[in-house]
Amino acid sequence: MNDARFRIAPSPTGYFHVGGARTALFNWALARQLGGTFVVRIEDTDADRNRPEWTEGIIEALAWIGIKASDPHFEGPYLQSDYTQQHVDAAQQLVDAGHAYYCDMTTADIEARHIANGKAEGSQGYGGWSRDRNLGPGSGRVIRFRVAEGVTIVHDEVRGEVEFDNALIEDFVLVRSNGAPVFVLANVVDDMHMRITHVLRAEEHLSNTPKQQMLWEALGASVPVWAHLPLLVNEQRKKISKRRDKVALEQYRAEGYLADAMVNYLMTLGWTPKGDEIQPWAQMEADFRLEDVHLSPAFFDLKKLAAFNGEYIRMLSPHAFLDASRPWLPDHFDESKFLAMAPHIQPRCVTLADAPGVVDFLFLAEPVIDRDAWTKTFAAEANVAILRETLAAYEALSDWQAESLKSAMEVVGAAHDLKLGKAQAPVRVAVSGRTVGPPLFEALEVLGRDETLRRLRNAEAALD
RNA sequence: GGCCCGUUCGUCUAGUGGCCUAGGACACCACCCUCUCAAGGUGGCGGCACGGGUUCGAAUCCCGUACGGGCUACCA
């Protein structure tokens, strides 16, 4: 394990954001590729958003996408709230060194001062009015950072050099009047204490990077490698958010997306795998480079995700497919039947949740009849006749193989001058209740002679 | 409003001055295959935001404009 240390710093919100998952994956790929460490720090300083079980949820979500707490490269989770004293101490250190000062002005005071200075109501920015008042600690007082003059240049591994004019950065709050440290401070102090060397995070943080860089320097440390990743946006080109979009990783999992498909798709958001875009994790982990990360936002495209998922479902072995599908399957069913049909089910699924719909008729005591399909199919007299004739032919069949079932039906169809495509319809509806489904004769073979004949007789009786 | 970032087919992208008549994938359309539906195969549709430079030559470099987004809290 070398000195390269990466981190993700999610705030506990009750779910794990797909954007956070993408950031985690990029960090994880690099940490492992470089032989470094990936640390997880839960940023729970906002007391309103803090539930112990949410941390567990984050760890579980990470494990699902392959970031296992048991991996030697994994470290944590740490809770930011455990380090509050360090944050406060750092703020005091900054005050002592003259990099920060106390201020007793409230938001209303600042607003009033703006108006008194002839500025418009709602004017923004704090004028550094308490800078030289030499206030000491006291109730209702915050600690603000004294922003020096000049410019701050952020060296970003993906965006190059980004320059910020310090004059445009107000003396920001480090510690609230209630004594609670603010995000920028806590984030930097923790990163320093955890010896973080690489900060890869979403682009939304680029704007407060100069503030953080000033803190690193004022605290006497050398800044980490910065890398701001392109935002994940929706069709409106806005940052995907809980309010507007489906962002919970857990929800995709619950809907039947495979972890491998999700991981592969997430990796393509802001980076392009070498060669085919469908790639095993090990390959992407080896190929990932910060310099290849894209600059423009990535649209989180559900259709593309679905395509990836379908692709991954088709790659599964029958047994792996069965295991993955279990949560969506009935409590009791004939696994050998499912396994026999698996190669026919897989190409018909976009998510694992689609699996039961394709083959449930094989396991149910009675097929669920789609009334429209039934009515439409048997409105044709010929179809009723075909059903009867097929039943008779099947009763007389000496074996029960897909090939024989197919041949027998071809004979019946030919008598009506119909191709198989048309002739199979009434039997499919009678047995499965639907007009669409897996290959019929293979399904009948799996369903078995007795059950098939029983359903055909039931259908015949229902038509009388 | 200010600051910052970005801009190649509908979407994700390849492309780092000549290999570009701009390649691939998803989506869409057509055809083929086919027992339905899928899957698969073949083909098609479709793009360098705009305007100026630089250069023998620009999607690639520079400037401007437009558009989109992010940030602008005693949220994280």
PDB file of all heavy atoms in Angstrom, chain A residues 417-443:
ATOM      1  N   ASP A 417     -54.139 -24.452 -44.138  1.00  0.00           N
ATOM      2  CA  ASP A 417     -53.379 -23.584 -45.020  1.00  0.00           C
ATOM      3  C   ASP A 417     -52.702 -22.444 -44.258  1.00  0.00           C
ATOM      4  O   ASP A 417     -52.633 -21.320 -44.729  1.00  0.00           O
ATOM      5  CB  ASP A 417     -54.307 -23.007 -46.103  1.00  0.00           C
ATOM      6  CG  ASP A 417     -53.529 -22.754 -47.394  1.00  0.00           C
ATOM      7  OD1 ASP A 417     -52.444 -23.351 -47.551  1.00  0.00           O
ATOM      8  OD2 ASP A 417     -53.995 -21.941 -48.216  1.00  0.00           O
ATOM      9  N   LEU A 418     -52.242 -22.768 -43.052  1.00  0.00           N
ATOM     10  CA  LEU A 418     -51.599 -21.746 -42.232  1.00  0.00           C
ATOM     11  C   LEU A 418     -50.162 -22.120 -41.902  1.00  0.00           C
ATOM     12  O   LEU A 418     -49.839 -23.279 -41.673  1.00  0.00           O
ATOM     13  CB  LEU A 418     -52.358 -21.575 -40.920  1.00  0.00           C
ATOM     14  CG  LEU A 418     -53.716 -20.869 -40.964  1.00  0.00           C
ATOM     15  CD1 LEU A 418     -54.350 -20.883 -39.586  1.00  0.00           C
ATOM     16  CD2 LEU A 418     -53.581 -19.442 -41.483  1.00  0.00           C
ATOM     17  N   LYS A 419     -49.322 -21.084 -41.887  1.00  0.00           N
ATOM     18  CA  LYS A 419     -47.939 -21.289 -41.463  1.00  0.00           C
ATOM     19  C   LYS A 419     -47.922 -21.394 -39.939  1.00  0.00           C
ATOM     20  O   LYS A 419     -48.862 -20.980 -39.257  1.00  0.00           O
ATOM     21  CB  LYS A 419     -47.092 -20.080 -41.885  1.00  0.00           C
ATOM     22  CG  LYS A 419     -46.877 -19.990 -43.396  1.00  0.00           C
ATOM     23  CD  LYS A 419     -45.402 -20.212 -43.722  1.00  0.00           C
ATOM     24  CE  LYS A 419     -45.113 -20.424 -45.194  1.00  0.00           C
ATOM     25  NZ  LYS A 419     -45.436 -19.273 -46.033  1.00  0.00           N
ATOM     26  N   LEU A 420     -46.814 -21.898 -39.432  1.00  0.00           N
ATOM     27  CA  LEU A 420     -46.673 -22.059 -37.979  1.00  0.00           C
ATOM     28  C   LEU A 420     -46.956 -20.787 -37.190  1.00  0.00           C
ATOM     29  O   LEU A 420     -47.569 -20.810 -36.131  1.00  0.00           O
ATOM     30  CB  LEU A 420     -45.252 -22.513 -37.656  1.00  0.00           C
ATOM     31  CG  LEU A 420     -45.042 -23.919 -37.114  1.00  0.00           C
ATOM     32  CD1 LEU A 420     -43.656 -24.009 -36.499  1.00  0.00           C
ATOM     33  CD2 LEU A 420     -46.099 -24.303 -36.093  1.00  0.00           C
ATOM     34  N   GLY A 421     -46.463 -19.679 -37.715  1.00  0.00           N
ATOM     35  CA  GLY A 421     -46.613 -18.398 -37.020  1.00  0.00           C
ATOM     36  C   GLY A 421     -48.053 -18.108 -36.659  1.00  0.00           C
ATOM     37  O   GLY A 421     -48.347 -17.563 -35.590  1.00  0.00           O
ATOM     38  N   LYS A 422     -48.966 -18.460 -37.555  1.00  0.00           N
ATOM     39  CA  LYS A 422     -50.390 -18.232 -37.309  1.00  0.00           C
ATOM     40  C   LYS A 422     -50.974 -19.388 -36.509  1.00  0.00           C
ATOM     41  O   LYS A 422     -51.749 -19.200 -35.578  1.00  0.00           O
ATOM     42  CB  LYS A 422     -51.138 -18.133 -38.645  1.00  0.00           C
ATOM     43  CG  LYS A 422     -50.744 -16.944 -39.485  1.00  0.00           C
ATOM     44  CD  LYS A 422     -51.391 -15.670 -38.986  1.00  0.00           C
ATOM     45  CE  LYS A 422     -51.112 -14.530 -39.968  1.00  0.00           C
ATOM     46  NZ  LYS A 422     -51.458 -13.229 -39.379  1.00  0.00           N
ATOM     47  N   ALA A 423     -50.586 -20.584 -36.882  1.00  0.00           N
ATOM     48  CA  ALA A 423     -51.181 -21.772 -36.277  1.00  0.00           C
ATOM     49  C   ALA A 423     -50.879 -21.903 -34.786  1.00  0.00           C
ATOM     50  O   ALA A 423     -51.703 -22.421 -34.022  1.00  0.00           O
ATOM     51  CB  ALA A 423     -50.695 -23.014 -37.022  1.00  0.00           C
ATOM     52  N   GLN A 424     -49.724 -21.407 -34.355  1.00  0.00           N
ATOM     53  CA  GLN A 424     -49.368 -21.587 -32.945  1.00  0.00           C
ATOM     54  C   GLN A 424     -50.133 -20.665 -31.994  1.00  0.00           C
ATOM     55  O   GLN A 424     -50.192 -20.922 -30.794  1.00  0.00           O
ATOM     56  CB  GLN A 424     -47.862 -21.376 -32.752  1.00  0.00           C
ATOM     57  CG  GLN A 424     -47.332 -20.044 -33.251  1.00  0.00           C
ATOM     58  CD  GLN A 424     -47.195 -18.996 -32.171  1.00  0.00           C
ATOM     59  OE1 GLN A 424     -46.762 -19.277 -31.076  1.00  0.00           O
ATOM     60  NE2 GLN A 424     -47.619 -17.773 -32.494  1.00  0.00           N
ATOM     61  N   ALA A 425     -50.719 -19.623 -32.551  1.00  0.00           N
ATOM     62  CA  ALA A 425     -51.355 -18.606 -31.708  1.00  0.00           C
ATOM     63  C   ALA A 425     -52.404 -19.162 -30.727  1.00  0.00           C
ATOM     64  O   ALA A 425     -52.329 -18.893 -29.528  1.00  0.00           O
ATOM     65  CB  ALA A 425     -51.940 -17.497 -32.576  1.00  0.00           C
ATOM     66  N   PRO A 426     -53.394 -19.922 -31.224  1.00  0.00           N
ATOM     67  CA  PRO A 426     -54.409 -20.391 -30.274  1.00  0.00           C
ATOM     68  C   PRO A 426     -53.843 -21.277 -29.164  1.00  0.00           C
ATOM     69  O   PRO A 426     -54.289 -21.193 -28.010  1.00  0.00           O
ATOM     70  CB  PRO A 426     -55.394 -21.160 -31.163  1.00  0.00           C
ATOM     71  CG  PRO A 426     -54.693 -21.405 -32.443  1.00  0.00           C
ATOM     72  CD  PRO A 426     -53.724 -20.292 -32.612  1.00  0.00           C
ATOM     73  N   VAL A 427     -52.876 -22.082 -29.496  1.00  0.00           N
ATOM     74  CA  VAL A 427     -52.291 -22.957 -28.480  1.00  0.00           C
ATOM     75  C   VAL A 427     -51.520 -22.131 -27.457  1.00  0.00           C
ATOM     76  O   VAL A 427     -51.605 -22.365 -26.250  1.00  0.00           O
ATOM     77  CB  VAL A 427     -51.370 -24.020 -29.127  1.00  0.00           C
ATOM     78  CG1 VAL A 427     -50.657 -24.838 -28.059  1.00  0.00           C
ATOM     79  CG2 VAL A 427     -52.179 -24.911 -30.053  1.00  0.00           C
ATOM     80  N   ARG A 428     -50.804 -21.130 -27.940  1.00  0.00           N
ATOM     81  CA  ARG A 428     -50.053 -20.274 -27.036  1.00  0.00           C
ATOM     82  C   ARG A 428     -50.998 -19.571 -26.059  1.00  0.00           C
ATOM     83  O   ARG A 428     -50.742 -19.536 -24.842  1.00  0.00           O
ATOM     84  CB  ARG A 428     -49.253 -19.227 -27.823  1.00  0.00           C
ATOM     85  CG  ARG A 428     -48.429 -18.286 -26.938  1.00  0.00           C
ATOM     86  CD  ARG A 428     -47.678 -17.232 -27.742  1.00  0.00           C
ATOM     87  NE  ARG A 428     -46.625 -17.816 -28.566  1.00  0.00           N
ATOM     88  CZ  ARG A 428     -45.427 -18.167 -28.111  1.00  0.00           C
ATOM     89  NH1 ARG A 428     -45.136 -18.010 -26.832  1.00  0.00           N
ATOM     90  NH2 ARG A 428     -44.528 -18.679 -28.917  1.00  0.00           N
ATOM     91  N   VAL A 429     -52.085 -19.047 -26.581  1.00  0.00           N
ATOM     92  CA  VAL A 429     -53.028 -18.349 -25.718  1.00  0.00           C
ATOM     93  C   VAL A 429     -53.661 -19.323 -24.723  1.00  0.00           C
ATOM     94  O   VAL A 429     -53.801 -19.028 -23.534  1.00  0.00           O
ATOM     95  CB  VAL A 429     -54.119 -17.633 -26.552  1.00  0.00           C
ATOM     96  CG1 VAL A 429     -55.216 -17.086 -25.641  1.00  0.00           C
ATOM     97  CG2 VAL A 429     -53.503 -16.510 -27.370  1.00  0.00           C
ATOM     98  N   ALA A 430     -54.010 -20.503 -25.201  1.00  0.00           N
ATOM     99  CA  ALA A 430     -54.656 -21.489 -24.318  1.00  0.00           C
ATOM    100  C   ALA A 430     -53.728 -21.911 -23.184  1.00  0.00           C
ATOM    101  O   ALA A 430     -54.158 -22.081 -22.044  1.00  0.00           O
ATOM    102  CB  ALA A 430     -55.078 -22.709 -25.139  1.00  0.00           C
ATOM    103  N   VAL A 431     -52.458 -22.071 -23.488  1.00  0.00           N
ATOM    104  CA  VAL A 431     -51.518 -22.578 -22.487  1.00  0.00           C
ATOM    105  C   VAL A 431     -50.915 -21.485 -21.604  1.00  0.00           C
ATOM    106  O   VAL A 431     -50.776 -21.666 -20.393  1.00  0.00           O
ATOM    107  CB  VAL A 431     -50.386 -23.382 -23.177  1.00  0.00           C
ATOM    108  CG1 VAL A 431     -49.325 -23.779 -22.165  1.00  0.00           C
ATOM    109  CG2 VAL A 431     -50.971 -24.613 -23.848  1.00  0.00           C
ATOM    110  N   SER A 432     -50.571 -20.334 -22.235  1.00  0.00           N
ATOM    111  CA  SER A 432     -49.898 -19.290 -21.451  1.00  0.00           C
ATOM    112  C   SER A 432     -50.797 -18.105 -21.122  1.00  0.00           C
ATOM    113  O   SER A 432     -50.464 -17.300 -20.266  1.00  0.00           O
ATOM    114  CB  SER A 432     -48.669 -18.791 -22.217  1.00  0.00           C
ATOM    115  OG  SER A 432     -49.059 -17.946 -23.287  1.00  0.00           O
ATOM    116  N   GLY A 433     -51.911 -17.996 -21.832  1.00  0.00           N
ATOM    117  CA  GLY A 433     -52.811 -16.877 -21.585  1.00  0.00           C
ATOM    118  C   GLY A 433     -52.451 -15.628 -22.361  1.00  0.00           C
ATOM    119  O   GLY A 433     -53.161 -14.632 -22.308  1.00  0.00           O
ATOM    120  N   ARG A 434     -51.320 -15.672 -23.069  1.00  0.00           N
ATOM    121  CA  ARG A 434     -50.868 -14.475 -23.781  1.00  0.00           C
ATOM    122  C   ARG A 434     -50.544 -14.775 -25.236  1.00  0.00           C
ATOM    123  O   ARG A 434     -50.390 -15.931 -25.626  1.00  0.00           O
ATOM    124  CB  ARG A 434     -49.591 -13.921 -23.131  1.00  0.00           C
ATOM    125  CG  ARG A 434     -49.705 -13.641 -21.652  1.00  0.00           C
ATOM    126  CD  ARG A 434     -48.504 -12.817 -21.193  1.00  0.00           C
ATOM    127  NE  ARG A 434     -48.490 -12.691 -19.739  1.00  0.00           N
ATOM    128  CZ  ARG A 434     -47.828 -13.518 -18.934  1.00  0.00           C
ATOM    129  NH1 ARG A 434     -47.125 -14.520 -19.443  1.00  0.00           N
ATOM    130  NH2 ARG A 434     -47.873 -13.328 -17.637  1.00  0.00           N
ATOM    131  N   THR A 435     -50.385 -13.711 -26.019  1.00  0.00           N
ATOM    132  CA  THR A 435     -50.027 -13.906 -27.429  1.00  0.00           C
ATOM    133  C   THR A 435     -48.519 -13.886 -27.634  1.00  0.00           C
ATOM    134  O   THR A 435     -48.033 -14.254 -28.684  1.00  0.00           O
ATOM    135  CB  THR A 435     -50.628 -12.784 -28.309  1.00  0.00           C
ATOM    136  OG1 THR A 435     -50.205 -11.523 -27.787  1.00  0.00           O
ATOM    137  CG2 THR A 435     -52.142 -12.854 -28.305  1.00  0.00           C
ATOM    138  N   VAL A 436     -47.810 -13.383 -26.618  1.00  0.00           N
ATOM    139  CA  VAL A 436     -46.357 -13.344 -26.754  1.00  0.00           C
ATOM    140  C   VAL A 436     -45.707 -14.129 -25.621  1.00  0.00           C
ATOM    141  O   VAL A 436     -46.296 -14.314 -24.564  1.00  0.00           O
ATOM    142  CB  VAL A 436     -45.816 -11.894 -26.727  1.00  0.00           C
ATOM    143  CG1 VAL A 436     -46.404 -11.082 -27.857  1.00  0.00           C
ATOM    144  CG2 VAL A 436     -46.105 -11.252 -25.388  1.00  0.00           C
ATOM    145  N   GLY A 437     -44.494 -14.570 -25.871  1.00  0.00           N
ATOM    146  CA  GLY A 437     -43.803 -15.321 -24.830  1.00  0.00           C
ATOM    147  C   GLY A 437     -42.601 -16.039 -25.396  1.00  0.00           C
ATOM    148  O   GLY A 437     -42.221 -15.797 -26.550  1.00  0.00           O
ATOM    149  N   PRO A 438     -42.038 -16.924 -24.632  1.00  0.00           N
ATOM    150  CA  PRO A 438     -40.856 -17.664 -25.088  1.00  0.00           C
ATOM    151  C   PRO A 438     -41.272 -18.669 -26.165  1.00  0.00           C
ATOM    152  O   PRO A 438     -42.464 -18.873 -26.389  1.00  0.00           O
ATOM    153  CB  PRO A 438     -40.376 -18.352 -23.817  1.00  0.00           C
ATOM    154  CG  PRO A 438     -41.605 -18.506 -22.991  1.00  0.00           C
ATOM    155  CD  PRO A 438     -42.428 -17.284 -23.281  1.00  0.00           C
ATOM    156  N   PRO A 439     -40.313 -19.291 -26.840  1.00  0.00           N
ATOM    157  CA  PRO A 439     -40.632 -20.269 -27.886  1.00  0.00           C
ATOM    158  C   PRO A 439     -41.619 -21.304 -27.347  1.00  0.00           C
ATOM    159  O   PRO A 439     -41.399 -21.919 -26.309  1.00  0.00           O
ATOM    160  CB  PRO A 439     -39.276 -20.887 -28.219  1.00  0.00           C
ATOM    161  CG  PRO A 439     -38.302 -19.809 -27.887  1.00  0.00           C
ATOM    162  CD  PRO A 439     -38.878 -19.120 -26.670  1.00  0.00           C
ATOM    163  N   LEU A 440     -42.722 -21.479 -28.072  1.00  0.00           N
ATOM    164  CA  LEU A 440     -43.835 -22.290 -27.568  1.00  0.00           C
ATOM    165  C   LEU A 440     -43.504 -23.767 -27.347  1.00  0.00           C
ATOM    166  O   LEU A 440     -43.820 -24.316 -26.294  1.00  0.00           O
ATOM    167  CB  LEU A 440     -45.015 -22.173 -28.545  1.00  0.00           C
ATOM    168  CG  LEU A 440     -46.270 -22.938 -28.135  1.00  0.00           C
ATOM    169  CD1 LEU A 440     -46.817 -22.426 -26.806  1.00  0.00           C
ATOM    170  CD2 LEU A 440     -47.333 -22.828 -29.226  1.00  0.00           C
ATOM    171  N   PHE A 441     -42.866 -24.387 -28.319  1.00  0.00           N
ATOM    172  CA  PHE A 441     -42.678 -25.842 -28.212  1.00  0.00           C
ATOM    173  C   PHE A 441     -41.682 -26.229 -27.126  1.00  0.00           C
ATOM    174  O   PHE A 441     -41.865 -27.231 -26.437  1.00  0.00           O
ATOM    175  CB  PHE A 441     -42.315 -26.408 -29.593  1.00  0.00           C
ATOM    176  CG  PHE A 441     -43.302 -25.963 -30.634  1.00  0.00           C
ATOM    177  CD1 PHE A 441     -42.955 -25.019 -31.583  1.00  0.00           C
ATOM    178  CD2 PHE A 441     -44.615 -26.426 -30.592  1.00  0.00           C
ATOM    179  CE1 PHE A 441     -43.891 -24.554 -32.497  1.00  0.00           C
ATOM    180  CE2 PHE A 441     -45.560 -25.961 -31.506  1.00  0.00           C
ATOM    181  CZ  PHE A 441     -45.213 -25.027 -32.460  1.00  0.00           C
ATOM    182  N   GLU A 442     -40.666 -25.417 -26.965  1.00  0.00           N
ATOM    183  CA  GLU A 442     -39.731 -25.647 -25.864  1.00  0.00           C
ATOM    184  C   GLU A 442     -40.470 -25.495 -24.536  1.00  0.00           C
ATOM    185  O   GLU A 442     -40.251 -26.254 -23.586  1.00  0.00           O
ATOM    186  CB  GLU A 442     -38.579 -24.640 -25.917  1.00  0.00           C
ATOM    187  CG  GLU A 442     -37.497 -24.941 -26.929  1.00  0.00           C
ATOM    188  CD  GLU A 442     -37.915 -24.648 -28.372  1.00  0.00           C
ATOM    189  OE1 GLU A 442     -39.043 -24.146 -28.588  1.00  0.00           O
ATOM    190  OE2 GLU A 442     -37.125 -24.934 -29.286  1.00  0.00           O
ATOM    191  N   ALA A 443     -41.355 -24.499 -24.501  1.00  0.00           N
ATOM    192  CA  ALA A 443     -42.111 -24.260 -23.272  1.00  0.00           C
ATOM    193  C   ALA A 443     -43.045 -25.436 -22.974  1.00  0.00           C
ATOM    194  O   ALA A 443     -43.171 -25.863 -21.826  1.00  0.00           O
ATOM    195  CB  ALA A 443     -42.899 -22.963 -23.388  1.00  0.00           C
TER     196      ALA A 443
END
